[in-house]
């Protein structure tokens, strides 16, 4: 079945450091890929998405590129801030058609802590 | 526009009691999802509905759990009887797939503690 694997955390960085959180997936067909962020005490929010190979999603300085050849969707940010401290989830959604359309498969989440 | 609304935000109950969690999805959304989040197991999809019809309930842990969606604007997740291992944060999410949009919008969650 479909699965998403994220790098294990927690990840601890100093402010202005470069961030990479690795995400790889297993799925048939052409899934859409997502990064969600969960701030303390809140629900998940969509951070960025990509719906086809070679697409780059970006938002709030974060970027991720859909690499079908390596089945990856790594999250990057050039300079993190304390306010980026949160849990980050990689997820996939299968393509149109089939009974599981609409369902997201999430990775286990990566805790990011950024220190001043 | 109001987002996904969940109630209550916090629930503390004793083992054996019935617990009902409520969710109001975003108006116009045709998919509704119930998730459970714990430190040990992460984020788990319990069940989801499309146009008020349950599509996949394979994530519901056991018969003590049940979910209903009587109309497009309301869903409940019920646990009867509750057990301490049910303690978790329960999230409801909704999305609108019919127009090709695919973002799930999450509610703030209900933190359930079963003593």
């Amino acid at each position: 079945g479909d699965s998403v694997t994220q790098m294990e955390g927690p990840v601890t960085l100093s402010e202005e450091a470069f961030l990479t959180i690795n995400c790889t997936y297993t799925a048939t067909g052409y899934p859409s890929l997502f990064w969600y962020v969960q701030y303390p005490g809140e629900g998940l929010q969509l951070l960025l998405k990509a719906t086809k190979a070679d697409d780059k999603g970006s938002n709030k300085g974060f970027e991720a590129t859909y690499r079908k050849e390596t089945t990856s969707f790594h999250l990057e940010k050039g300079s993190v801030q304390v306010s980026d401290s949160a849990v980050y989830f990689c997820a996939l959604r299968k393509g149109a058609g089939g009974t599981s359309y609409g369902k997201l498969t999430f990775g286990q989440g990566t805790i990011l802590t950024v220190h001043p | 526009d109001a987002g996904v609304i969940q109630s209550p935000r916090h629930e503390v109950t004793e083992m054996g009691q019935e617990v009902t969690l409520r969710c109001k999805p975003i108006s116009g959304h045709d998919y509704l999802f119930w998730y459970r989040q714990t430190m040990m197991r992460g984020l788990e999809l319990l069940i989801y509905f499309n146009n008020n019809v349950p599509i996949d309930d394979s994530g519901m842990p056991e018969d003590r759990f049940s979910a209903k969606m009587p109309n497009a604007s309301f869903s409940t997740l019920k646990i009867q009887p509750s057990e301490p291992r049910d303690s978790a944060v329960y999230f409801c999410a909704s999305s609108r797939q019919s127009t090709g949009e695919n973002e799930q919008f999450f509610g703030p969650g209900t933190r359930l503690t079963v003593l």
Side-chain angles (χ1 to χ4, degrees):
Chain A
D2 300 340
S3 66
V4 175
T5 302
Q6 292 180 229
M7 66 183 288
E8 292 194 15
V11 175
T12 302
L13 296 172
S14 298
E15 205 165 27
E16 299 184 1
F18 184 84
L19 169 71
T20 299
I21 301 178
N22 290 339
C23 170
T24 57
Y25 69 90
T26 301
T28 57
Y30 302 94
S32 295
L33 300 174
F34 305 83
W35 277 100
Y36 277 78
V37 59
Q38 183 180 28
Y39 298 104
E42 298 182 10
L44 280 70
Q45 306 171 25
L46 179 66
L47 180 60
L48 54 84
K49 66 181 180 183
T51 58
K52 61 182 186 296
D54 300 325
D55 269 3
K56 177 185 284 188
S58 61
N59 186 27
K60 299 181 182 180
F62 291 88
E63 293 183 341
T65 301
Y66 188 163
R67 301 286 188 198
K68 191 164 180 64
E69 64 277 14
T70 55
T71 62
S72 66
F73 194 55
H74 305 321
L75 182 68
E76 297 182 336
K77 186 175 185 182
S79 176
V80 294
Q81 305 300 310
V82 173
S83 58
D84 294 327
S85 297
V87 183
Y88 292 81
F89 292 89
C90 186
L92 70 80
R93 185 182 67 86
K94 292 185 76 72
T99 58
S100 62
Y101 182 70
K103 171 183 174 182
L104 286 174
T105 299
F106 284 92
Q108 69 270 36
T110 301
I111 299 172
L112 170 66
T113 302
V114 180
H115 292 297
Chain B
D1 287 341
V4 175
I5 298 172
Q6 292 188 246
S7 65
R9 292 295 309 276
H10 302 272
E11 176 81 27
V12 179
T13 191
E14 293 188 345
M15 183 174 62
Q17 296 298 306
E18 177 180 297
V19 175
T20 299
L21 311 181
R22 297 173 176 81
C23 175
K24 177 178 170 57
I26 294 172
S27 177
H29 281 193
D30 52 357
Y31 277 77
L32 184 139
F33 306 82
W34 281 102
Y35 292 91
R36 178 172 68 175
Q37 186 178 38
T38 62
M39 289 294 292
M40 291 294 293
R41 301 174 69 92
L43 190 65
E44 303 172 276
L45 176 65
L46 300 178
I47 184 172
Y48 74 101
F49 297 82
N50 177 217
N51 292 322
N52 313 337
V53 176
I55 301 300
D56 182 353
D57 65 354
S58 60
M60 296 286 263
E62 47 198 277
D63 292 345
R64 297 185 297 106
F65 286 69
S66 62
K68 295 182 179 179
M69 192 165 186
N71 57 62
S73 59
F74 184 66
S75 178
T76 59
L77 178 68
K78 185 176 293 186
I79 308 172
Q80 166 63 19
S82 58
E83 297 183 3
R85 60 193 168 116
D86 302 329
S87 297
V89 181
Y90 291 80
F91 289 103
C92 176
S94 70
S95 67
R96 182 167 60 190
Q97 307 293 155
S98 55
T99 61
E101 298 178 16
N102 47 27
E103 175 181 354
Q104 285 189 21
F105 292 83
F106 281 72
T110 296
R111 181 173 296 276
L112 173 65
T113 303
V114 183
L115 303 174

